[in-house]
């Protein structure tokens, strides 16, 4: 009887409600990114190796060099990035409101922690003059561990 009682709830014993199960499931999804980041940092620290995807490069086009420099400096001041390259005069062709447009833009290559990409993107949307700024990221797969350690120190902790 003990084995049966431990597997099947006895009549009158409390059962988890659907709401409780949904809350636990939702909390699990919300906590996962934080736990993943912490476990990657712990693994990297303990083993001295780099875990792919911990850092990202964010690409952003700007209409001119002054805006690009101001944005780069603000990202560094806010510790959202460890490094920003400003690549001048990228020729851009794109569809805008049903027409093919052509412009000369400045490309920012922003190096940051992957965990900061969402916050960095939100900040760029606030300050960028384009109605829809081009912001996307790629995870860094491999590279020099000394560079990644330096990058880690240059970006504010989560």
């Amino acid at each position: 009887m003990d084995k049966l009682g431990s597997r099947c709830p006895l009549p009158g014993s409390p059962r988890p409600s659907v709401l409780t199960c949904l809350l636990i499931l939702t909390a699990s999804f919300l906590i996962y990114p934080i736990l993943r980041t912490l476990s990657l940092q712990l693994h990297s620290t303990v083993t001295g190796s780099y875990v792919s995807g911990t850092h990202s490069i964010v690409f952003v086009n700007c209409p001119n060099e002054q805006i690009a420099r101001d944005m780069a400096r603000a990202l560094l001041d806010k510790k959202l990035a460890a490094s920003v390259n400003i690549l001048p005069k990228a020729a851009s062709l794109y569809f805008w409101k049903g027409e093919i447009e052509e412009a000369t833009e400045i490309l920012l290559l922003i190096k940051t922690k992957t965990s900061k990409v969402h916050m960095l993107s939100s900040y760029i949307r606030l300050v960028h003059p384009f109605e829809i700024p081009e912001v996307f990221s790629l995870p860094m797969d491999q590279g020099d561990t000394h560079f990644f350690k330096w990058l880690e120190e240059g970006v504010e902790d989560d």
Side-chain angles (χ1 to χ4, degrees), residues 51-138:
V51 177
S52 180
T54 306
H55 301 96
S56 292
I57 298 176
V58 180
F59 296 77
V60 177
N61 276 354
C62 296
N64 62 53
E65 191 169 344
Q66 188 59 52
I67 289 172
R69 285 186 183 282
D70 292 346
M71 199 172 302
R73 192 167 295 282
L75 293 170
L76 293 169
D77 286 342
K78 293 180 176 307
K79 300 280 190 191
L80 291 173
S83 171
V84 181
N85 295 109
I86 301 172
L87 304 178
K89 296 192 179 181
S92 296
L93 285 92
Y94 53 92
F95 277 107
W96 182 247
K97 298 183 179 181
E99 300 290 324
I100 296 176
E101 299 287 333
E102 190 169 339
T104 300
E105 298 175 330
I106 309 300
L107 177 62
L108 298 180
L109 298 179
I110 304 163
K111 277 76 76 183
T112 190
K113 292 180 186 177
T114 301
S115 62
K116 293 292 183 185
V117 169
H118 180 71
M119 190 180 308
L120 187 146
S121 296
S122 295
Y123 176 76
I124 289 171
R125 271 194 308 278
L126 285 174
V127 300
H128 205 287
F130 289 168
E131 185 177 333
I132 303 173
E134 178 180 338
V135 181
F136 66 93
S137 68
L138 297 173

Side-chain angles (χ1 to χ4, degrees), residues 9-31:
L10 298 172
S13 65
R15 293 180 118 190
S17 70
V18 173
L19 182 58
T20 303
C21 292
L22 286 174
L23 286 174
I24 291 170
L25 188 61
T26 303
S28 299
F29 280 116
L30 294 175
I31 292 173

